[in-house]
Amino acid sequence: MTDTPASPDLERTDPVRVLLLEDDTPLRERFARILEDWPGGELVAACATLDETLALLRQQPVDLLMTDLNLPDGHGIEAIHLLSKLYPNADAMVISVLADDETVLAAIEAGAVGYLLKDADPFELVESIEELRAGGSPISSSIARILVRRMTAPPPSPSGPPLTPRETEILRGIAKGFTYAELAEWLSISRQTVPVHIKNIYRKLAANNRSEAVYEASRRGLIRL
Amino acid sequence: MTDTPASPDLERTDPVRVLLLEDDTPLRERFARILEDWPGGELVAACATLDETLALLRQQPVDLLMTDLNLPDGHGIEAIHLLSKLYPNADAMVISVLADDETVLAAIEAGAVGYLLKDADPFELVESIEELRAGGSPISSSIARILVRRMTAPPPSPSGPPLTPRETEILRGIAKGFTYAELAEWLSISRQTVPVHIKNIYRKLAANNRSEAVYEASRRGLIRL
DNA sequence: AGGCAAATACCATAAACAGGGTAGACAGAG
DNA sequence: CTCTGTCTACCCTGTTTATGGTATTTGCCT
């Protein structure tokens, strides 16, 4: 099948098998030219539709998928999903104009490791591919901002009535399944004092028992998981 | 105080006040030269130590902090923290050789929106600043890969013993604080059957009571919050 | 100083729970 | 067809909670 079955995996001398998916013909041909000129890889095919791509993926292995997202017959994320499923070691790079949070996050979660906006120039494209093959994630800065926001946003709901430090400690203990006696010994207080704190926790969390309190507390981000 | 109090915030005509923190003198001077030559901003100061930076931040407002991470008297993340606290609208960009997951994620969570490796060339540096001021997150591809990994890794622990659908339902009810009787009515089963399921849940989750079960289940991602 | 809220502590009781054993119905796997 | 796993159901007993009331100490605020 292949020409050089020699070198194992020490040096990636094998050409990278690239599959391109882009429905816009002028753009596809432009990208195809760039990829054909790239010495590091071999353009397996340049598809215009999702179906075509899915069929091709099933027929032959691919190392790198360069794909658009909004396609006439579906969503590029499907191609990424299939790629990840069939060839887990392959990489997927998105080249799209879509930059809304939902789309970007869906693509990343589907397995895309690169994400370029379509205004990227040819040099940037080739450079990005090489970065990607080197283990990096070339991502346009406006796209990267979405990822950063997602990672720093997480304080979901520091809202609600505040818990005293003592109550927070008790709450952690409750989550770990401690009984009155265990909580009392753990905090070095009387066994009879524990239920008082717990009752206050219930009131503040609008809970009526331990499991509901744990549920509410973790939902409100009051305790770590 | 300032020279042009005219234009409000419509157009960012005000120069960007930049603070540089880099302990290595040759590198700091090189960066400082680049920043001074950059027409879009004004280099407030070029610090060599963390203390110096923290003091300066308290004295005067800054729009952009360019910082190293490993410093002789502390960690650059502290500077990012203070910047975010004092001037929430300011941006922080990391320029470091550190690229381990822990450091990168800590920097991002501290509020850094840009992260360049130190091998970036002057052109890339200026370009990155402009992308950052435009609302993007310039991030070196190898750093971005860490973020992508973090976002796609999240299957926290689909591990362990599987719960039957019935047990999952029961578990949700437990989390909501239902009693035996309420669970029985909710699921239209006998009150005596409920504890059997619960007991099985305890066994599978290695829990001994409701709150511990809820804690374990939410920790393992078996129930939504 | 006086007043107030929080945290601490103790007691008592009814309700709920955990865990033990036993067993029938039913579906899917071998 | 038999075996296994699951869901269902019941009983019993000891333990744990939930909740009521009351009181002391500490620290904060007026």
Side-chain angles (χ1 to χ4, degrees):
Chain A
M1 297 295 188
T2 59
D3 39 0
T4 55
S7 61
D9 271 353
L10 302 177
E11 287 281 334
R12 183 167 293 285
T13 53
D14 292 346
V16 178
R17 290 160 297 189
V18 184
L19 183 56
L20 172 65
L21 171 54
E22 165 62 61
D23 63 308
D24 182 68
T25 301
L27 212 51
R28 181 178 63 253
E29 290 175 350
R30 189 176 132 229
F31 286 153
R33 252 193 318 278
I34 297 172
L35 292 170
E36 278 167 355
D37 290 346
W38 179 49
E42 165 198 0
L43 184 59
V44 169
C47 304
T49 66
L50 178 62
D51 283 344
E52 194 182 343
T53 300
L54 297 181
L56 267 170
L57 280 175
R58 284 184 232 272
Q59 286 171 11
Q60 56 186 306
V62 165
D63 300 312
L64 172 61
L65 170 68
M66 315 276 298
T67 182
D68 192 9
L69 288 185
N70 43 356
L71 300 164
D73 60 336
H75 202 291
I77 287 183
E78 287 184 44
I80 300 176
H81 268 130
L82 185 62
L83 179 79
S84 303
K85 185 181 166 190
L86 296 178
Y87 317 110
N89 291 327
D91 294 321
M93 177 142 69
V94 172
I95 306 180
S96 176
V97 289
L98 294 179
D100 60 290
D101 290 28
E102 195 183 350
T103 301
V104 171
L105 293 172
I108 297 295
E109 284 182 22
V113 290
Y115 200 122
L116 300 184
L117 288 180
K118 271 192 180 167
D119 57 14
D121 56 55
F123 172 74
E124 197 176 339
L125 184 66
V126 169
E127 190 185 40
S128 294
I129 294 178
E130 286 171 350
E131 286 178 353
L132 192 143
R133 296 307 299 182
S137 277
I139 296 181
S140 294
S141 66
S142 57
I143 302 296
R145 187 57 165 257
I146 295 174
L147 302 187
V148 169
R149 256 207 315 273
R150 165 56 63 100
M151 304 207 65
T152 56
S157 51
S159 64
L163 255 50
T164 71
R166 201 54 158 191
E167 287 164 351
T168 303
E169 284 180 293
I170 296 266
L171 190 55
R172 285 197 209 289
I174 288 180
K176 293 197 170 119
F178 290 172
T179 66
Y180 282 177
E182 289 168 333
L183 283 167
E185 188 185 2
W186 183 41
L187 298 177
S188 301
I189 61 178
S190 161
R191 177 207 171 91
Q192 275 64 31
T193 302
V194 174
V196 180
H197 293 300
I198 294 183
K199 207 179 358 172
N200 291 331
I201 293 172
Y202 290 167
R203 184 170 38 76
K204 292 182 180 175
L205 264 43
N208 295 310
N209 52 53
R210 296 180 164 219
S211 44
E212 195 175 356
V214 170
Y215 178 76
E216 270 301 315
S218 89
R219 203 174 61 77
R220 301 190 191 185
L222 297 174
I223 56 175
R224 70 172 198 282
L225 298 187
Chain B
M1 296 294 188
T2 58
D3 39 359
T4 55
S7 59
D9 271 355
L10 302 177
E11 286 281 332
R12 183 169 292 285
T13 53
D14 294 344
V16 179
R17 290 159 297 189
V18 185
L19 183 56
L20 172 65
L21 170 55
E22 165 62 61
D23 62 308
D24 182 66
T25 301
L27 212 51
R28 180 177 64 254
E29 291 176 349
R30 190 177 132 229
F31 286 153
R33 250 193 320 277
I34 296 172
L35 291 170
E36 280 167 354
D37 290 346
W38 179 49
E42 167 198 359
L43 184 60
V44 170
C47 304
T49 65
L50 177 63
D51 284 343
E52 195 183 341
T53 300
L54 297 180
L56 268 170
L57 281 176
R58 284 183 234 272
Q59 286 172 12
Q60 57 187 304
V62 165
D63 299 312
L64 172 61
L65 170 68
M66 315 274 300
T67 182
D68 191 10
L69 289 184
N70 44 355
L71 300 164
D73 61 336
H75 202 290
I77 287 182
E78 288 184 43
I80 300 177
H81 268 130
L82 185 61
L83 179 79
S84 305
K85 184 181 167 189
L86 295 179
Y87 317 110
N89 292 327
D91 293 321
M93 176 142 71
V94 172
I95 306 179
S96 176
V97 291
L98 294 180
D100 60 288
D101 291 26
E102 194 182 352
T103 301
V104 171
L105 293 172
I108 297 295
E109 284 181 23
V113 290
Y115 200 123
L116 300 183
L117 289 180
K118 271 192 181 168
D119 57 15
D121 57 55
F123 172 74
E124 196 176 337
L125 184 65
V126 168
E127 190 187 40
S128 294
I129 293 177
E130 287 173 349
E131 286 177 354
L132 191 142
R133 296 307 298 181
S137 277
I139 297 181
S140 294
S141 65
S142 56
I143 302 296
R145 186 58 164 256
I146 295 173
L147 302 187
V148 170
R149 256 208 312 275
R150 163 57 61 101
M151 304 208 63
T152 56
S157 49
S159 63
L163 253 50
T164 70
R166 202 54 159 187
E167 286 165 351
T168 303
E169 282 180 295
I170 296 268
L171 191 53
R172 285 197 209 289
I174 289 180
K176 290 193 173 132
F178 291 170
T179 66
Y180 283 174
E182 289 169 332
L183 282 167
E185 189 184 1
W186 183 44
L187 299 176
S188 302
I189 60 178
S190 161
R191 178 211 169 86
Q192 275 65 33
T193 304
V194 175
V196 179
H197 292 300
I198 295 183
K199 207 178 357 173
N200 290 331
I201 293 173
Y202 290 166
R203 187 169 38 77
K204 291 181 179 175
L205 294 181
N208 294 309
N209 52 54
R210 294 178 167 221
S211 46
E212 195 176 357
V214 170
Y215 178 76
E216 271 300 314
S218 88
R219 203 175 60 77
R220 302 189 190 185
L222 297 175
I223 57 175
R224 69 171 198 282
L225 297 185

